[in-house]
């Protein structure tokens, strides 16, 4: 590309403040045609705010945005979309009840308000064909996989003549196979001259997909360079502001007798006879493809769903769990996969969220002991380094990492002996991740039994003492010496499970 | 800051303070609009009258007073006499009763031949012909002036009687709005409370009139001769039945996962229908006058019993919501039921409690209503569920659950009452009043929206 053509996107000196927070301090960002730019930074570094400014959600306090050399001012997201900026959020924005086709054309149904189904279907199919993809377009979106929904979103963006696509954590809920397919699509979009801003906490992906890397920290540019010019440790140091000597803290496991034993758990097609045990002081990782029944198994142990068969033993005694209340009383905690919908009451104060599972011991005769509650919250919030303006702040105003720490805090205060972590670091930045890992190690060292569900294979390998691989509701493989395993070994177990099932 | 921003910031500020400033503003508005000349009464009138007489007559005046035969005027005479005596004067004659009595007193004074310094009257007695003609007909009296207590300017709205009236008129809706607040905070709704009021009133009055007999044993009843114990028992039974109605709604909503809107809509029809069926659509009035103790004119220190009951219930509800584990659970269930369940909150039991209490309080509202009217009728409480919801929403409780406050509801209820009585005092036609009320409800919801904007703008964005 000749040097004198203006870049596809140029954001200059973007400044944005919220009351109490200076979110962006004169940030610059540029993006060329056919380029994939990885936007990196810890939670709270300003990535989302910058992208919201680009997408017309927030007006910038200062700074200019140029699209192909022409200055633009977006007042609404609609204006940004019309100008060719599409954002694919982590939480996909499709309407579950509508079909893929209807979602793609939503808002573009033609001027007369009449819908021409045939023409739409043909146009959508042609669009996907050009990308070399096929997705069932005539079933409601809620029945599509996350990867398929993403493709629908991408198709929607292309139909709106998007020139810039922002992808926010696109692989968070994808299997490795689906991730590879996504990268192929990204390559296709590149070839068509689109610019892509790629946001992810998974650094290994960055090296695979990005041409250039821009790092933000505390709302300011830290570095902007070609991907080839940096390596992983350097990248982490740029994001965190200090060198992390290791991503996974070391621990000498002291593993005792079995603590949690599940025998023959069955529920529908999701869990078809799962038996497992977690020992004192052990970190057991359960991995496998999304939908393999990992989360469902944890929910059965916790009593969130009722098992059709099977039983759970804690320290050798059979548990009678009719609901989470019983499990909690017995000393089992579940840190759910989706902390926003299952872990926290977002509209409520941090302290109220913290107290919720602990009210039985934070009260006397049904009355909340408010001083005790204040003290305990302060204790655990500082121990876990929850960064928040005040205990009365609403949970929704915290970053993902701090929200996860809050969920952790409420269960730690409960002093549970078995902790079920479901994707404990999804969407969480490197720095906060490290703190959560250290905490998991501390808990194991105290003799608690930890069951950690994760799709992040480096994390599984870095943290677990033992690994179970699940596929279609069954345990299909076990790696007893996790320290010496590698990613290929896990993938082989998962795939072999798939082949055996087929 | 642009003008637009300033307006927005003002609205946001207002929203954050809740609706209390709105209530204060409304009271001020109606106070200014209803400033009129007020007539003092009772002892205050007596003192004012004595002062007025002493100011315009020679020292040590001899005065005759003309008053009506009620308590307030008796107090007036007493204070007047005391005031005059303190200055060396004397109340030589007092006419209590009607114009004829006044004429007799004047005749007697004239016959005695002693001149009077003044004729002390109230606004009412000054108009009696005998008083007006006294000086002309009886020269021996010495042409005494007719003196009445001087009036003063004061808002009609802020008269104690009016404030009592505002509080009394809203007490029933305010009581049922407590239960409604709880239910709405859990993310539900209860449309049946208006009908449950009628059910409670009808049940209580029927039980007092006809009673229940268990074989030869007559447990309740007694019609006009019913004892207080019978009346209390009948009322409690009625309230308990209403609690069961709420519990039934709650059970259908939680066990079968039916939408609260539909379940309580059906319950609304069932409760109203039952009340109509029990009374054959006729009013039940054969109950002792003593039954009006709760909702009638009886009061403690000037506060009517119904208002006192309302205040007590609000205090109890505040403690429940803000100091107890159950209160926390109610908020948590409304904020995020699934997260609450996974945190060990007994969601079903919490919801059952909310609907049970809502029915119970609607029952209490029905008893107050029956007591106020000394009768039970299947038509009671129509539309009350909507007024209760309005009070809750105007009070700042989010209709989507998880947020809200019990004191906000009390303020909301008072805003509705103040607007209604204020409009009556300022002679807004009754036909037009609902329009204003509707506008206020919309305004409250808009304020809530501004509050949420404020949040989103304040929120530190999470990456």
């Amino acid at each position: 590309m000749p040097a004198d053509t203006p870049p596809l996107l140029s954001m200059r000196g973007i400044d944005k403040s919220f009351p109490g927070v200076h979110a962006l301090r004169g940030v610059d960002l540029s993006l060329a045609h056919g380029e994939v730019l990885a936007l990196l930074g810890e939670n709270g570094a300003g990535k989302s705010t910058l992208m919201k400014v680009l997408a017309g959600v927030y007006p910038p306090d200062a700074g200019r945005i140029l699209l192909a050399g022409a200055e633009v001012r977006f007042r609404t997201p609609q204006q940004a979309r019309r100008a060719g900026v599409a954002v694919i959020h982590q939480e996909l924005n499709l309407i579950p009840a509508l079909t893929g086709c209807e979602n793609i054309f939503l808002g573009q149904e033609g001027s007369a308000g009449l819908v021409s189904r045939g023409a739409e279907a043909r146009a959508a199919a042609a669009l996907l064909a050009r990308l070399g993809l096929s997705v069932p377009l005539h079933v409601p979106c809620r029945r599509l996989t996350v990867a398929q929904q993403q493709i629908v979103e991408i198709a929607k963006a292309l139909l709106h003549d998007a020139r810039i696509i922002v992808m926010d954590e696109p692989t968070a809920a994808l299997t490795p196979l689906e991730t590879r397919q996504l990268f192929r699509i990204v390559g296709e979009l590149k070839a068509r001259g689109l610019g892509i801003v790629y946001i992810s906490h998974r650094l290994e992906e960055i090296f695979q997909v990005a041409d250039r890397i821009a790092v933000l920290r505390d709302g300011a540019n830290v570095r902007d360079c070609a991907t080839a010019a940096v390596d992983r440790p350097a990248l982490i140091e740029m994001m965190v502001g200090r060198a992390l000597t290791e991503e996974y803290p070391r621990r000498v496991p002291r593993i005792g007798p079995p603590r949690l034993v599940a025998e023959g758990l069955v529920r529908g097609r999701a869990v078809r006879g799962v038996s497992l045990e977690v020992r004192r002081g052990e970190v057991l990782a359960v991995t496998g493809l999304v939908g393999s029944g990992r989360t469902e198994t944890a929910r059965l142990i916790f009593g969130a769903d009722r098992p059709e068969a099977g039983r759970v033993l804690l320290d050798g005694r059979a548990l009678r769990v009719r609901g989470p209340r019983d499990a909690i009383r017995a000393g089992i905690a579940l840190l759910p996969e989706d902390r926003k919908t299952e872990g926290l009451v977002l509209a409520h104060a941090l302290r109220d969220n913290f107290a919720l599972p602990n009210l039985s011991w934070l009260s006397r005769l049904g009355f909340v002991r408010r001083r005790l509650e204040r003290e305990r919250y302060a204790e655990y919030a500082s121990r876990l380094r929850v960064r928040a303006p005040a205990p009365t702040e609403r949970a929704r105003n915290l970053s993902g990492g701090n929200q996860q720490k809050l969920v952790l805090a409420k269960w730690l205060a409960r002093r549970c002996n078995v902790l079920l972590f479901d994707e404990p670091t999804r969407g969480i930045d490197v720095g906060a991740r490290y703190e959560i890992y250290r905490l998991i190690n501390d808990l194991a060292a105290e003799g608690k039994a930890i069951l950690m569900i994760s799709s992040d294979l480096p994390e599984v390998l870095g943290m677990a003492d033992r690994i179970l691989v699940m596929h279609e509701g069954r345990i299909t493989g076990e790696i007893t010496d996790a320290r010496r395993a590698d990613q290929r070994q896990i993938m082989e177990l998962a795939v072999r499970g798939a082949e055996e099932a087929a | 800051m642009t003008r637009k921003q300033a307006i927005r910031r003002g609205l946001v500020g207002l929203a954050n303070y809740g609706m209390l400033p709105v209530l204060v503003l409304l009271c001020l508005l109606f106070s200014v609009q209803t400033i009129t000349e007020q007539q003092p009464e009772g002892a205050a009138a007596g003192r004012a009258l004595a002062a007025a007489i002493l100011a315009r007559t020679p020292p040590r005046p001899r005065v005759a007073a003309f008053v009506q035969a009620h308590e307030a005027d008796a107090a007036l005479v007493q204070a007047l006499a005391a005031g005059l005596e303190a200055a060396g004067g004397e109340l030589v004659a007092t006419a209590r009763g009607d114009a004829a009595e006044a004429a007799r007193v004047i005749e007697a004074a004239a016959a005695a031949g002693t001149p009077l310094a003044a004729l002390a009257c109230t606004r009412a007695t000054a108009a009696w012909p005998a008083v007006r003609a006294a000086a002309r007909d009886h020269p021996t009296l010495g042409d005494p002036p007719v003196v009445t207590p001087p009036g003063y300017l004061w808002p009609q709205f802020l008269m104690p009687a009016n404030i009592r009236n505002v509080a009394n008129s809203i007490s029933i809706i305010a009581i049922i709005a407590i239960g409604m607040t709880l239910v709405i905070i859990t993310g539900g709704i209860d449309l049946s409370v208006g009908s449950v009021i009628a059910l409670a009133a009808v049940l209580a009055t029927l039980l007092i009139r006809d009673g229940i007999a268990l074989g030869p044993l007559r447990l309740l009843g007694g019609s006009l001769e019913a004892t207080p114990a019978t009346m209390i028992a009948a009322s409690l039974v009625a309230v308990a039945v209403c609690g069961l109605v709420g519990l039934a709604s709650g059970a259908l909503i939680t066990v079968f996962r039916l939408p609260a809107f539909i379940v309580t809509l059906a319950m609304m029809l069932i409760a109203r229908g039952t009340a109509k069926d029990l009374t054959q659509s006729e009013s039940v009035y054969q109950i002792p006058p003593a039954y009006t103790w709760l909702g009638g004119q009886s009061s403690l220190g000037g506060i009517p019993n119904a208002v006192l009951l309302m205040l007590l219930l609000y205090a109890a509800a505040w403690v429940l919501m803000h100091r107890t584990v159950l209160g926390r659970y109610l908020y948590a269930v409304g904020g995020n039921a699934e997260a609450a369940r996974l945190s060990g909150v007994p969601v079903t039991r919490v919801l059952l409690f909310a609907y049970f209490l809502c029915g119970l309080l609607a029952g209490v509202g029905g008893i107050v209503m029956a007591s106020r009217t000394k009768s039970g009728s299947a038509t009671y409480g129509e539309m009350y569920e909507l007024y209760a919801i309005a009070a809750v929403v105007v009070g700042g409780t989010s209709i989507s659950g998880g947020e809200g406050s019990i004191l906000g509801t009390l303020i909301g209820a008072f805003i509705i009452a103040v607007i209604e009585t204020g409009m009556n005092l300022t002679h807004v036609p009754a036909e037009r009043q609902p329009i204003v009320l509707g506008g206020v409800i919309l305004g409250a919801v808009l304020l809530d929206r501004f509050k949420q904007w404020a949040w989103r703008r304040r929120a530190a964005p999470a990456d």
Side-chain angles (χ1 to χ4, degrees):
Chain A
M1 182 176 301
D4 54 340
T5 26
L8 175 57
L9 167 72
S10 169
M11 301 177 84
R12 291 188 200 152
I14 303 291
D15 216 275
K16 179 75 193 168
S17 290
F18 298 92
V21 190
H22 198 168
L24 297 174
R25 306 160 192 261
V27 174
D28 297 327
L29 192 82
S30 73
L31 180 66
H33 291 274
E35 184 182 45
V36 177
L37 172 72
L39 184 59
L40 300 180
E42 285 192 274
N43 292 331
K47 294 172 308 208
S48 288
T49 312
L50 187 65
M51 289 303 107
K52 280 180 180 163
V53 168
L54 174 61
V57 179
Y58 301 134
D61 297 340
R64 307 200 301 151
I65 304 174
L66 290 90
L67 274 183
E71 178 156 5
V72 288
R73 267 172 205 279
F74 301 136
R75 293 183 179 282
T76 63
Q78 286 76 21
Q79 287 177 356
R81 213 174 310 146
R82 243 173 267 138
V85 177
V87 180
I88 298 176
H89 291 281
Q90 198 178 339
E91 289 93 13
L92 298 169
N93 276 333
L94 298 175
I95 297 174
L98 295 186
T99 67
C101 193
E102 285 162 346
N103 265 297
I104 290 174
F105 284 90
L106 196 65
Q108 298 232 324
E109 285 93 350
S111 53
L114 292 172
V115 178
S116 160
R117 277 170 177 268
E120 280 188 1
R122 279 192 298 278
L127 195 66
L128 289 178
R130 262 180 285 153
L131 287 173
L133 298 171
S134 76
V135 167
L137 285 173
H138 293 288
V139 296
C141 274
R142 72 178 113 80
R143 283 202 244 145
L144 299 180
T145 65
V146 176
Q148 288 172 327
Q149 292 187 30
Q150 233 165 31
I151 290 168
V152 172
E153 284 258 29
I154 292 170
K156 188 174 170 180
L158 290 178
L159 191 95
H160 284 73
D161 289 322
R163 289 184 283 171
I164 298 167
I165 297 185
V166 179
M167 295 185 175
D168 190 357
E169 292 272 350
T171 58
L174 298 193
T175 66
L177 204 73
E178 290 166 334
T179 303
R180 244 174 289 157
Q181 190 192 22
L182 178 75
F183 289 172
R184 206 171 51 68
I185 299 170
V186 169
E188 195 73 36
L189 298 174
K190 252 173 80 166
R192 293 163 62 120
L194 273 78
I196 297 187
V197 181
Y198 190 95
I199 299 175
S200 177
H201 288 301
R202 297 187 174 172
L203 299 185
E204 64 275 10
E205 288 176 1
I206 304 296
F207 288 100
Q208 287 177 49
V209 77
D211 302 311
R212 204 156 53 83
I213 293 175
V215 181
L216 295 184
R217 191 169 70 228
D218 299 330
N221 292 92
V222 175
R223 178 102 187 257
D224 190 331
C225 63
T227 311
V230 287
D231 62 0
R232 191 180 168 98
L235 208 52
I236 293 175
E237 193 174 337
M238 275 188 254
M239 288 164 61
V240 183
R242 64 193 143 86
L244 276 183
T245 46
E246 49 191 356
E247 269 184 77
Y248 303 101
R250 285 194 185 286
R251 172 174 63 95
V252 182
R254 285 218 319 272
I255 293 169
R259 186 131 224 190
L260 175 80
V261 176
E263 288 177 354
L265 291 178
V266 175
R267 182 175 164 93
R269 298 168 54 83
V271 182
R272 312 178 188 186
V274 169
S275 301
L276 55 83
E277 63 169 43
V278 195
R279 293 158 171 273
R280 276 170 176 270
E282 183 184 43
V283 177
L284 172 71
V286 179
T287 186
L289 309 179
V290 170
S292 60
R294 308 167 303 175
T295 297
E296 290 79 359
T297 303
R299 285 175 64 92
L300 290 182
I301 295 172
F302 188 62
D305 300 316
R306 288 207 182 190
E308 290 155 16
R311 59 178 194 154
V312 175
L313 295 93
L314 188 65
D315 292 323
R317 282 202 329 272
L319 286 184
R320 195 171 133 69
V321 175
R322 284 157 305 175
R325 210 171 154 73
D326 294 332
I328 293 166
R329 231 180 254 148
I332 302 176
L334 170 71
L335 283 87
E337 183 179 12
D338 187 342
R339 57 188 165 261
K340 287 187 177 169
T341 60
E342 297 179 331
L344 294 171
V345 185
L346 289 176
H348 289 183
L350 306 183
R351 195 164 53 209
D352 290 353
N353 270 294
F354 166 80
L356 200 53
N358 295 304
L359 284 171
S360 58
W361 62 273
L362 287 176
S363 64
R364 194 188 299 139
L365 300 172
F367 284 86
V368 180
R369 299 170 67 181
R370 304 200 317 140
R371 218 179 73 167
L372 188 67
E373 181 191 23
R374 272 200 300 275
E375 290 167 1
R376 288 294 165 271
Y377 172 74
E379 180 190 327
Y380 280 93
S382 74
R383 190 171 139 199
L384 292 181
R385 279 179 261 174
V386 178
R387 284 180 211 96
T392 49
E393 187 64 49
R394 292 162 195 266
R396 72 157 51 103
N397 294 346
L398 292 194
S399 68
N402 279 312
Q403 284 180 343
Q404 186 70 312
K405 286 194 227 164
L406 179 63
V407 178
L408 261 165
K410 72 180 201 181
W411 291 117
L412 288 193
R414 190 72 223 187
R415 295 173 190 282
C416 291
N417 285 327
V418 175
L419 290 111
L420 313 170
F421 288 86
D422 196 352
E423 299 284 1
T425 61
R426 171 174 292 174
I428 289 174
D429 65 71
V430 189
R433 247 171 210 239
Y434 188 78
E435 289 178 33
I436 289 171
Y437 292 148
R438 247 201 1 225
L439 215 89
I440 291 176
N441 283 351
D442 289 350
L443 291 168
E446 286 173 29
K448 302 188 188 280
I450 312 269
L451 188 152
M452 181 183 83
I453 294 168
S454 176
S455 304
D456 186 339
L457 296 186
E459 171 178 289
V460 167
L461 292 168
M463 289 298 297
D465 299 315
R466 195 154 56 88
I467 300 167
L468 293 181
V469 183
M470 280 190 77
H471 181 80
E472 293 196 340
R474 291 190 183 89
I475 290 172
T476 52
E478 178 173 6
I479 299 172
T480 44
D481 189 359
R483 304 280 154 187
R484 287 194 212 144
D486 58 23
Q487 293 198 28
R488 189 178 307 160
Q489 215 179 329
I490 299 177
M491 279 323 294
E492 268 167 16
L493 282 172
V495 173
R496 197 172 65 197
E499 281 163 358
E500 279 168 10
Chain B
M1 191 161 62
T2 66
R3 196 186 146 87
K4 207 168 143 190
Q5 277 174 321
I7 292 173
R8 191 179 239 208
R9 191 167 290 187
L11 284 168
V12 166
L14 197 59
N16 285 339
Y17 264 102
M19 293 299 283
L20 192 57
V22 174
L23 179 59
V24 172
L25 225 68
L26 279 171
C27 288
L28 279 177
L29 175 76
F30 286 122
S31 297
V32 171
Q33 283 204 333
T34 59
I35 289 178
T36 41
E37 193 177 352
Q38 304 293 337
Q39 294 306 314
E41 281 183 1
R47 282 190 295 274
L49 197 51
I53 291 168
L54 290 169
R56 58 191 288 188
T57 55
R60 299 170 189 282
R62 295 160 51 79
V63 177
F66 299 87
V67 295
Q68 285 165 304
H70 52 71
E71 251 176 68
D73 277 7
L76 182 150
V77 169
Q78 216 173 357
L80 173 65
L84 290 174
E85 269 164 39
E90 194 190 344
L91 186 61
V92 292
T94 305
R96 293 171 212 269
D98 51 12
E101 171 68 11
R104 273 194 296 280
V105 168
I106 289 169
E107 298 279 350
T114 47
L116 290 172
L119 305 179
C121 295
T122 63
R123 281 276 159 121
T125 60
W128 287 347
V131 174
R132 272 161 51 180
R136 198 187 60 220
D137 294 350
H138 304 281
T140 48
L141 288 177
D143 196 17
V146 173
V147 183
T148 55
Y152 58 96
L153 285 179
W154 185 255
Q156 182 72 29
F157 182 81
L158 289 184
M159 295 301 286
N162 185 59
I163 292 172
R164 252 198 311 274
N165 181 26
V166 168
N168 219 0
S169 72
I170 203 64
S171 55
I172 295 173
I173 284 171
I175 287 171
I176 63 172
I178 295 174
M180 190 66 85
T181 309
L182 259 66
V183 166
I184 288 180
I185 280 177
T186 65
I189 192 95
D190 190 345
L191 297 177
S192 69
V193 289
S195 301
V196 169
I197 284 181
L199 185 64
V202 161
L203 274 177
T205 49
L206 278 178
L207 284 175
I208 294 170
R209 191 188 71 182
D210 305 337
I212 341 170
L214 201 72
L217 194 68
R218 194 171 172 77
L219 290 180
L220 282 171
S223 194
L224 289 169
E225 281 76 46
T227 62
T230 297
M231 291 190 279
I232 290 170
S235 303
L236 288 180
V237 168
V239 169
V241 169
C242 295
L244 291 181
V245 170
L247 199 60
S249 299
L252 289 164
I253 291 161
T254 52
V255 177
F256 298 104
R257 294 173 191 238
L258 301 179
F261 188 92
I262 306 297
V263 169
T264 58
L265 181 71
M267 209 52 90
M268 169 176 114
L269 295 170
I270 292 170
R272 178 78 64 197
T274 308
K276 282 184 177 163
D277 192 40
L278 284 172
T279 58
Q280 295 301 311
S281 292
E282 278 172 15
S283 175
V284 183
Y285 54 86
Q286 300 89 334
I287 51 176
Y291 194 61
T292 59
W293 176 82
L294 182 60
Q297 295 303 314
S298 305
S299 64
L300 188 76
I303 306 174
N305 286 342
V307 176
L308 217 54
L309 176 68
M310 169 190 88
L311 292 175
L312 280 176
L313 287 172
Y314 268 89
W318 186 88
V319 171
L320 169 72
M321 294 310 279
H322 297 292
R323 289 290 179 270
T324 69
V325 173
L326 185 54
R328 290 289 181 84
Y329 284 175
L330 285 162
Y331 277 107
V333 167
N336 183 343
E338 184 60 10
R341 191 173 79 96
L342 294 180
S343 295
V345 174
V347 175
T348 304
R349 267 183 281 159
V350 168
L351 285 174
L352 284 178
F353 170 80
Y355 286 94
F356 170 69
L357 198 71
C358 194
L360 213 60
L361 286 168
V364 172
I367 299 301
V368 174
M369 190 129 182
S371 166
R372 178 165 297 166
T373 54
K374 202 170 80 65
S375 61
S377 158
T379 60
Y380 283 178
E382 268 170 3
M383 297 272 284
Y384 273 38
E385 61 278 346
L386 301 184
Y387 279 98
I389 294 170
V392 174
V393 171
V394 169
T397 293
S398 159
I399 204 82
S400 47
E403 290 174 67
S405 79
I406 203 80
L407 293 186
T409 298
L410 185 59
I411 292 170
F414 266 84
I415 285 178
I416 291 173
V418 161
I419 288 173
E420 287 205 319
T421 50
M423 284 192 297
N424 282 334
L425 284 177
T426 51
H427 309 295
V428 175
E431 294 78 12
R432 220 172 281 161
Q433 293 186 2
I435 303 176
V436 177
L437 214 52
V440 168
I441 294 168
L442 285 179
V445 185
L446 278 174
L447 269 184
D448 189 57
R449 181 61 49 189
F450 284 126
K451 196 155 63 178
Q452 286 177 13
W453 278 350
W455 257 15
R456 217 169 298 155
R457 285 154 55 87
R458 211 175 339 140
D463 275 49

